[in-house]
């Protein structure tokens, strides 16, 4: 029995999961930007802003965690290709009115496949690190709004949310 052709590229014609063959695809410059945020109590945001959290520089550690996570995405997501990333940037913005920290990750490579998963992984792990470093002060933090904002390069061209 064969399954009808699906737009989901990680399944073959029999419906079995497989790693997409990108061997014949040309290497092009690929960029993805993802974002997400973590909401918290005002006092927790103040701790982060002041740099006086017990575990140290929360955003500095979270930035490094996000960069490391982007580089390890293929070890975490089963069907992702290992990629030679040329750039990973993780940035934070303190949103005082919303009592939140916004994280944005930009990931780039020159290769045959995109870097959306690497950007999303960077954001999620960076925000998980904020949670880990601040959980003693605030266990009610909520991560939300994780999404791809932009992707450029490859056959499908550009996407801007």
């Amino acid at each position: 029995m064969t399954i009808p052709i699906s737009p989901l590229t990680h399944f073959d014609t029999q419906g079995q999961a497989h790693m997409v063959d990108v061997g014949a695809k040309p290497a092009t410059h690929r960029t993805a930007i993802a974002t997400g945020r973590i909401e918290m109590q005002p006092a927790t945001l103040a701790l982060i802003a002041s740099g006086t959290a017990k575990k140290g520089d929360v955003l500095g550690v979270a930035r490094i965690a996000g960069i490391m996570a982007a580089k390890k995405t293929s070890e975490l997501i089963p069907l992702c290709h290992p990629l030679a990333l040329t750039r990973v940037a993780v940035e934070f913005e303190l949103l005082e009115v919303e009592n939140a920290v916004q994280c944005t990750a930009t990931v780039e490579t020159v290769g045959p496949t995109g870097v959306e998963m690497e950007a999303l992984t960077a954001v999620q792990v960076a925000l998980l690190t904020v949670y880990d470093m601040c959980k003693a002060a605030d266990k009610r933090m909520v991560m939300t709004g994780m999404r791809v904002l932009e992707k450029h390069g490859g056959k499908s061209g550009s996407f801007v949310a």
Side-chain angles (χ1 to χ4, degrees):
M1 174 180 155
T2 58
I3 308 280
I5 294 189
S6 165
L8 302 177
T9 59
H10 287 90
F11 296 97
D12 63 19
T13 56
Q14 287 77 42
Q16 301 295 312
H18 73 106
M19 191 171 189
V20 175
D21 182 359
V22 297
K25 292 172 74 177
T28 61
H29 180 248
R30 316 282 186 131
T31 304
I33 302 171
T35 192
R37 67 192 223 166
I38 186 166
E39 299 167 352
M40 60 197 64
Q41 298 297 315
T44 309
L45 186 63
L47 273 175
I48 292 170
S50 70
T52 58
K54 269 190 173 182
K55 293 185 179 182
D57 178 11
V58 173
L59 299 182
V61 173
R63 178 176 291 107
I64 297 300
I67 292 167
M68 291 175 63
K71 296 180 348 182
K72 297 213 174 258
T73 299
S74 68
E75 296 175 33
L76 300 168
I77 310 296
L79 301 177
C80 282
H81 293 82
L83 301 176
L85 302 180
T86 57
R87 177 173 178 247
V88 179
V90 177
E91 299 171 0
F92 298 97
E93 181 181 357
L94 302 179
L95 306 174
E96 292 183 24
V97 173
E98 294 95 344
N99 295 311
V101 175
Q102 184 85 27
C103 178
T104 303
T106 303
V107 180
E108 296 184 41
T109 193
V110 175
T113 190
V115 287
E116 299 96 303
M117 294 307 298
E118 288 72 12
L120 285 165
T121 300
V123 167
Q124 301 231 4
V125 170
L127 293 177
L128 283 168
T129 301
V130 170
Y131 185 94
D132 179 53
M133 294 188 72
C134 296
K135 67 183 182 238
D138 185 355
K139 290 181 178 39
R140 296 177 192 261
M141 290 177 282
V142 175
M143 291 177 283
T144 185
M146 269 57 82
R147 63 191 178 114
V148 174
L149 293 175
E150 297 181 33
K151 68 114 1 237
H152 303 282
K155 186 172 93 173
S156 64
S158 292
F159 162 82
V160 177

